[in-house]
Amino acid sequence: MPYWPATPLNSTACKPEQKLNRAQSPQGADVDHVFNDEQRMLRDSVRRLVSQRYSFEQRRAIVASEAGWSPEIWAEFAEMGLLALPFAEQDGGMGGGALETLIVMEALGRGIVVEPYLPTVVMAGGLLRHCGNDELKARLIPGIAEGRQRHAFAYTEPRSRFNPANVSTRARREGGGYRLDGYKSVVYGAPMADGLFVTARTAGGELDRQGISVFYVDARAPGVSRRDFRTIDGMRASEVQLSGVAVGGDALLGPADQGLALIERVLDESAAAVCAEAAGAMMVLNDKTLEYTRTRVAFGQTLSAFQVIQHRLVDLRVACEYGNAVALMAALKLDSAPAERARAVSAAKAMLGRDSRYVGQTAIQLHGAIGMTDDLDIGHYFKRLTAIGWQFGNADHHLRRFWSHFRGTEARALSKEAA
Amino acid sequence: MMEFELADLTSEERAFRDEVRLFFEDNLTPEMRRAGRMITWAFSEFEYGRRWQKILHQRGWGAPYWPVEYGGTGWTPRQHYIYEMESMRASPPSVMNMGKTLCAPCIMEFGTPEQKQEFLPRMLAGEDWWAQGYSEPGSGSDLASLRLSAVSDGDHYVLNGSKIWTTYAHHANRIFCLTRTSSEGRKQAGITFLLADMNTPGIQVRPLINIAGDHEFNQVFFTDVRVPKSRRLGEENQGWKVARHLLKYEHSGGGRMSGELRRRVALVTDIASQESDGNGGLLIDDPDFSRQLAEVAMALEAIEFANLQVLQAMKKGEAPPPSIPLLRIRSRELGQRITELGMDAIAHYAAPFQPQARAVDNPEPAIGPEDGVIATPLYLSQRASTIAGGTPDIQHNNVARALLGL
């Protein structure tokens, strides 16, 4: 006997027949021209997978499961080639580039997918792709591409905030290898990871940009301990303690002491990836909010008939269109020179950081109290967008980073032109 | 954190302040203070609020702003303000208050002598806990469209329908409800105000978990619930008039609101004073962050001052002035803005979902800064503060009509 009557909570929500004609929904229509036929096929098939296999109810069950991710879905990712996507063909990959990752992440954002694609394929995958340690690549890429292994990137520390050069974890030379000691915080994907990519200081002081190296650490190595937890956006993460963890010399990803360039490149790729994810999630919130306001009646008319609501719906759509555009801008600059890459990614992340907050908040506001409930998907999209807001640096951080690059180049050029 | 004192306290007022301060010091246990700090939506964990209400009642402060004849204190507006400010400093549990702040004024105004005698003393003593049965699944900001039906049957009404977003209804033993007794004429004309017992057969409470993972709201279902006509407040079909009286009071309480906002600013300041800026300094010294914190602190001081002016202007027993909704619009948005900064302050540590770390009893060790455990849930929960009690859009409409004459 249930404690309460089985009336569906969202009985006043949208009726299926009044759903938007999806063809009229932008879904990134304005950026569509940059994709070739293969990329459109990829987009359609990932979106289909997400919509068919990752409904809100299915996602809820995965989030509530003990593991917090779905081996079945992961196997389907592998089957579709998504896990091999960004790796070079000679490494056993599909040779995809930044646009392919954008396409996948946007589709994952539409379903607020909690599978550890970002930490495994984008972050760990990025470190491997760019690191130049061929032995490690040969050892790890097949496991990722075939769906056998997952990894996480442990680069944040309690005092590091958004500065990846702020590293206290130390790696001391010992014999032919290293011994790692330190503490990494809020490492997304660590609970289900087979391996951890760890930033550590091999020289210099806590804030020096030189002297940072990246190591691959077996997640089950002696001395690695974790406190696993759920995150507000339905994912899993860990606090990771490294106590005298011994690794071989071959665990070093790039040149010793010079790891920051690699780290920054991968973090830019990751930031661009969550920009795409945010763009997908924002578009869903936009569509759902539009649908809801078209059906919810107050004061004798639908909410969407009120001008003040219409203006806000337009603002939502504007934010989504910009979101699509800046996510694409960031993706297209990922292989540019570091300064140009950083500028584009920071511009995108700063703008999306603000716009995604606005879209999430407005979606809840326009849904009213029902948007505040755990039962409805709206709040879960909102929470993922909230977390994306600070992942890889919040809007303030990226605004400043953008300016540090902009002032040195464009600003001067602009002022010369004006003169 | 800024220290705010009423200018030119008289010696009596100073003595009063010291008395209040001492009372809080003597009576608040560390657990109670923690319960006061760990509020994300409106109230502390119920049990701590219940205990605190009993202590307040013993001191004669169970409902300070009630008229003296019903057990109020008879303080001046300035004394009330002093009390609120001291309360903010001491962080007592926030007591579930729909009964004493929302329902009681209506009972005082419209209740029969028997109703007053039956309900008011028990509210004051923390023996009765009232839920507010207003919103319905199809009637939120457009409250007058409510449909919970109350059909006359001899000396009873028979209720069918449901109420939603009833904060802490799972702790309530009574509920005051707006019901539909007639569908003739204007929708406001067929509403009746009823006082029901939660244990009446046919009432079921369904928990609604909010996006912070907390159980604050409920949906309350009524299936052939029989409420005696002696439990009607005011006349049949005159419930809207009663409700309007109540809404006036729901929209006041500026002092309590600004006290709560001040506590949030203090929380952000505390966090930022300990957290790293990532570059070897403290976040509180980061120019971007401190500028944003300064903006909310400044706006808060302005709101406090404006509230104080309202308070000073209000003569005892008079309705709050019509400008109160204006202050309320701003203070709610400001309240939300502060919670954004709290979340920004802890950066990655905003991510962990750790409700057990903010429990009052036997909390789990925090992941990240101890002060930060409440930052994200506060941000999430407070999204509802611009929804509950009418959205800003409704407030704007009301102000446009009532104040600007549009």
Side-chain angles (χ1 to χ4, degrees), chain A residues 1-5 7-9 11-12 155-163 166 183-186 188 207 227-233 239 292 296-300 306 308-309 312 357 361-362 364-376 379-380 382-383 386-387 390-394 396-397 399-400, chain B residues 136-143 147 164-165 170 187 204-213 217 219 221 223 275-281 283 286-289 292 336-337 340-341 343-354 364-368 376 379-384 386-387 391-394 397:
Chain A
M1 171 85 186
Y3 181 44
W4 56 81
T7 315
L9 178 65
S11 55
T12 57
Y155 70 99
T156 46
E157 298 186 357
R159 284 202 305 275
S160 68
R161 199 164 170 84
F162 304 126
N163 179 4
N166 188 335
Y183 187 92
K184 296 293 179 181
S185 54
V186 194
Y188 268 74
L207 293 165
R227 179 177 176 191
D228 297 345
F229 53 89
R230 290 162 192 258
T231 59
I232 60 142
D233 47 344
E239 297 289 280
Y292 182 77
R296 168 75 187 203
V297 172
F299 301 101
F306 290 92
V308 66
I309 304 291
R312 241 178 282 163
R357 188 175 269 190
Q361 292 178 350
T362 305
I364 288 194
Q365 183 68 38
L366 293 184
H367 276 80
I370 198 158
M372 286 295 299
T373 59
D374 184 67
D375 286 352
L376 203 67
H380 297 268
F382 168 69
K383 286 192 280 187
T386 300
W390 67 69
Q391 273 189 317
F392 313 113
N394 67 10
D396 287 345
H397 168 80
L399 187 74
R400 255 192 292 200
Chain B
E136 295 183 10
S139 306
S141 287
D142 181 10
L143 184 60
R147 288 181 306 191
I164 199 165
W165 319 127
H170 54 302
K187 58 189 177 181
Q204 290 173 294
V205 178
R206 177 195 179 191
L208 294 172
I209 305 304
N210 75 6
I211 56 175
F217 304 128
Q219 188 166 6
F221 293 89
T223 310
E275 286 298 288
S276 158
D277 67 354
N279 301 306
L283 188 61
D286 175 289
D288 287 344
F289 190 84
Q292 295 174 63
Q336 292 182 330
R337 176 68 189 131
E340 293 183 354
L341 290 181
M343 204 174 54
D344 286 348
I346 54 175
H348 302 98
Y349 279 124
F353 174 67
Q354 43 180 346
E364 275 185 8
I367 298 160
T376 305
Y379 170 72
L380 297 173
S381 296
Q382 288 301 321
R383 299 318 307 168
T386 46
I387 297 169
T391 65
D393 299 324
I394 302 298
N397 285 346

Side-chain angles (χ1 to χ4, degrees), chain A residues 299-313:
Chain A
F299 301 101
Q301 56 186 22
T302 62
L303 289 184
S304 61
F306 290 92
Q307 190 180 39
V308 66
I309 304 291
Q310 288 173 0
H311 286 190
R312 241 178 282 163
L313 290 167

Side-chain angles (χ1 to χ4, degrees), chain B residues 27-336:
Chain B
N27 289 283
L28 283 172
T29 62
E31 291 74 26
M32 283 181 168
R33 288 178 197 265
R34 181 173 167 83
R37 285 196 308 275
M38 291 295 152
I39 302 162
T40 56
W41 171 232
F43 307 122
S44 298
E45 279 185 25
F46 173 73
E47 183 51 29
Y48 289 94
R50 196 186 65 81
R51 278 184 225 167
W52 183 236
Q53 178 64 27
K54 289 190 178 292
I55 292 169
L56 288 173
H57 176 56
Q58 276 169 12
R59 182 66 184 76
W61 295 349
Y65 35 80
W66 280 13
V68 176
E69 54 182 306
Y70 297 114
T73 54
W75 291 340
T76 66
R78 284 167 66 93
Q79 281 179 303
H80 281 289
Y81 197 79
I82 292 167
Y83 180 83
E84 293 295 347
M85 287 299 118
E86 288 304 314
S87 175
M88 186 277 297
R89 291 165 58 109
S91 159
S94 170
V95 181
M96 176 178 175
N97 69 358
M98 284 77 77
K100 57 179 186 166
T101 66
L102 302 180
C103 188
C106 300
I107 292 178
M108 291 172 198
E109 181 81 12
F110 298 97
T112 63
E114 294 74 26
Q115 287 171 336
K116 291 176 185 175
Q117 189 49 43
E118 184 178 2
F119 298 123
L120 296 178
R122 293 180 57 83
M123 278 183 197
L124 208 55
E127 289 164 358
D128 275 356
W129 297 95
W130 289 79
Q132 181 187 16
Y134 269 35
S135 293
E136 295 183 10
S139 306
S141 287
D142 181 10
L143 184 60
S145 68
L146 62 93
R147 288 181 306 191
L148 174 70
S149 81
V151 175
S152 177
D153 180 23
D155 52 5
H156 282 76
Y157 291 103
V158 181
L159 275 57
N160 280 286
S162 84
K163 291 294 178 182
I164 199 165
W165 319 127
T166 44
T167 299
Y168 273 21
H170 54 302
H171 296 303
N173 62 327
R174 307 204 196 258
I175 183 167
F176 54 99
C177 290
L178 291 178
T179 64
R180 170 76 46 204
T181 35
S182 166
S183 48
E184 307 281 310
R186 289 174 70 235
K187 58 189 177 181
Q188 288 86 352
I191 292 171
T192 299
F193 198 115
L194 297 179
L195 308 169
D197 289 345
M198 287 296 286
N199 65 4
T200 315
I203 293 185
Q204 290 173 294
V205 178
R206 177 195 179 191
L208 294 172
I209 305 304
N210 75 6
I211 56 175
D214 295 335
H215 180 192
E216 307 273 357
F217 304 128
N218 300 277
Q219 188 166 6
V220 181
F221 293 89
F222 298 78
T223 310
D224 297 330
V225 173
R226 296 181 68 81
V227 177
K229 286 188 172 165
S230 62
R231 292 296 194 84
R232 188 183 68 219
L233 194 57
E235 297 302 309
E236 186 171 289
N237 295 331
Q238 296 294 309
W240 192 249
K241 198 171 100 186
V242 181
R244 295 284 298 177
H245 183 74
L246 189 155
L247 285 174
K248 274 192 303 207
Y249 282 85
E250 188 177 21
H251 292 179
S252 62
R256 203 172 63 84
M257 182 74 186
S258 70
E260 173 57 30
L261 298 198
R262 213 120 102 62
R263 217 172 11 221
R264 283 184 213 164
V265 171
L267 175 75
V268 178
T269 309
D270 286 347
I271 294 172
S273 302
Q274 293 158 34
E275 286 298 288
S276 158
D277 67 354
N279 301 306
L282 289 173
L283 188 61
I284 196 79
D285 299 318
D286 175 289
D288 287 344
F289 190 84
S290 58
R291 184 185 55 76
Q292 295 174 63
L293 186 53
E295 292 208 10
V296 299
M298 197 167 62
L300 177 55
E301 294 208 329
I303 283 175
E304 283 185 344
F305 189 75
N307 272 330
L308 190 59
Q309 299 310 303
V310 169
L311 216 54
Q312 305 264 40
M314 272 169 65
K315 298 211 176 69
K316 259 200 278 182
E318 269 188 21
S323 61
I324 277 189
L326 293 172
L327 297 178
R328 188 164 172 259
I329 288 172
R330 238 204 203 175
S331 60
R332 290 193 166 198
E333 286 168 357
L334 179 67
Q336 292 182 330

Side-chain angles (χ1 to χ4, degrees), chain A residues 73-305:
Chain A
I73 296 289
W74 200 252
E76 291 193 45
F77 282 0
E79 182 91 357
M80 283 180 68
L82 302 185
L83 304 177
L85 196 61
F87 299 106
E89 284 169 38
Q90 70 263 25
D91 294 329
M94 309 274 288
L99 282 183
E100 280 75 13
T101 297
L102 170 101
I103 287 166
V104 173
M105 290 303 299
E106 197 267 356
L108 298 185
R110 285 175 175 266
I112 38 175
V113 170
V114 299
E115 309 304 314
Y117 189 85
L118 177 72
T120 300
V121 179
V122 179
M123 301 176 78
L127 289 167
L128 286 168
R129 286 190 295 124
H130 306 312
C131 77
N133 181 336
D134 290 335
E135 275 175 43
L136 203 59
K137 283 160 84 165
R139 183 146 68 91
L140 296 179
I141 290 176
I144 296 175
E146 292 158 23
R148 287 183 280 109
Q149 290 188 320
R150 284 146 304 281
H151 302 291
F153 186 19
Y155 70 99
T156 46
E157 298 186 357
R159 284 202 305 275
S160 68
R161 199 164 170 84
F162 304 126
N163 179 4
N166 188 335
V167 177
S168 306
T169 298
R170 299 211 70 98
R172 292 176 183 80
R173 279 204 158 276
E174 193 179 281
Y178 295 85
R179 197 171 276 278
L180 276 63
D181 287 278
Y183 187 92
K184 296 293 179 181
S185 54
V186 194
V187 183
Y188 268 74
M192 56 282 266
D194 297 283
L196 301 173
F197 291 78
V198 177
T199 61
R201 192 156 282 292
T202 37
E206 183 180 334
L207 293 165
D208 289 336
R209 291 178 60 83
Q210 304 294 316
I212 300 166
S213 307
V214 186
F215 296 91
Y216 175 73
V217 177
D218 188 314
R220 284 166 295 270
V224 177
S225 53
R226 298 193 321 261
R227 179 177 176 191
D228 297 345
F229 53 89
R230 290 162 192 258
T231 59
I232 60 142
D233 47 344
M235 303 198 190
R236 302 293 167 95
S238 309
E239 297 289 280
V240 179
Q241 176 89 48
L242 303 155
S243 307
V245 178
V247 296
D250 56 354
L252 183 64
L253 262 77
D257 300 344
Q258 305 297 318
L260 189 60
L262 170 66
I263 295 164
E264 286 183 332
R265 182 172 186 185
V266 170
L267 292 181
D268 274 344
E269 291 178 350
S270 307
V274 293
C275 284
E277 185 187 353
M282 284 160 70
M283 196 57 88
V284 172
L285 280 184
N286 175 75
D287 290 355
K288 284 179 181 285
T289 304
L290 190 55
E291 283 174 13
Y292 182 77
T293 56
R294 281 179 161 171
T295 50
R296 168 75 187 203
V297 172
F299 301 101
Q301 56 186 22
T302 62
L303 289 184
S304 61

